[in-house]
Amino acid sequence: RRADAERTVRTILEAAERVLSADPAASMEQIAAAAGVARTTVHRRFATRDALIDELTGWAAQRFGDAVDRARPETAPPLVALYQVTANVLEVKIGWGFAMDRAFSGDPQVAEVHTGVRERCDRLFVRARDAGVIRADADLDWARRVYYALIHEATLRPEPADTDALATLVVDTLLRGIGAGGGL
């Protein structure tokens, strides 16, 4: 029974992401229909639409944190980890766009996941600098903020997402920039 209940919740959350991505004002009835369950089933699991959205946001945040962990940012070679973190994060951010846009919802658990991701990113950037992947004189806080902005922009591309190609584009742009060389 518990496994069935967990599958039902996952089905509802996946449907909610699809429906709310297309129409942020969608009703619980529309979400239930997309999930293939009765409206009462959705209400039994989630008392309100806000409760459903909060759960969706938390669920997506957990997937975001797991995506970073799967890339082994603490142990994989820094360049490999940077690429894999990027590809994994893009997959989550593209697949869970509605929920990820609510990442700063004020939920302490969501905030904790994002804080942990930022700390792992900061450590990865230090490892990358120490390995010579990032210039020794680079401002790592600025580099992280630019990296986050590149990831965000990659999620906005209108064509269908190939996360591997987007990850390559993000990492290449971050590490080589767009200049023709020579510097200032």
Side-chain angles (χ1 to χ4, degrees):
R1 273 188 190 263
R2 183 165 174 84
D4 286 342
E6 288 176 12
R7 263 192 307 277
T8 299
V9 168
R10 186 177 60 244
T11 298
I12 292 167
L13 292 173
E14 289 170 348
E17 174 60 40
R18 285 191 314 275
V19 170
L20 293 168
S21 287
D23 177 11
S27 69
M28 294 281 270
E29 276 186 64
Q30 290 170 296
I31 293 167
V37 300
R39 185 180 53 80
T40 56
T41 301
V42 174
H43 280 289
R44 192 171 34 249
R45 304 286 191 259
F46 306 100
T48 65
R49 185 176 183 280
D50 287 342
L52 171 62
I53 290 172
D54 288 345
E55 182 70 21
L56 177 63
T57 303
W59 204 59
Q62 189 58 52
R63 267 129 201 82
F64 177 60
D66 293 347
V68 172
D69 289 342
R70 279 194 322 274
R72 301 179 347 210
E74 310 280 347
T75 58
L79 185 56
V80 171
L82 181 61
Y83 171 82
Q84 196 59 59
V85 164
T86 305
N88 292 356
V89 164
L90 284 168
E91 186 175 313
V92 172
K93 287 180 97 35
I94 290 168
W96 297 92
F98 175 83
M100 291 303 297
D101 281 348
R102 294 182 38 86
F104 302 103
S105 66
D107 180 322
Q109 290 177 321
V110 171
E112 183 179 324
V113 169
H114 284 273
T115 297
V117 166
R118 179 180 172 173
E119 290 168 354
R120 288 190 301 272
C121 183
D122 288 344
R123 288 191 299 270
L124 174 57
F125 274 41
V126 167
R127 288 182 61 233
R129 182 196 59 210
D130 293 349
V133 173
I134 295 174
R135 283 192 343 248
D137 65 341
D139 178 338
L140 295 184
D141 182 58
W142 175 253
R144 180 187 38 77
R145 290 173 32 209
V146 168
Y147 174 63
Y148 282 12
L150 289 169
I151 288 174
H152 174 74
E153 288 301 318
T155 67
L156 300 178
R157 297 197 51 127
E159 61 271 0
D162 173 354
T163 54
D164 287 331
L166 288 175
T168 299
L169 179 62
V170 167
V171 172
D172 185 60
T173 303
L174 177 70
L175 297 180
R176 291 194 237 183
I178 58 171
L184 295 176

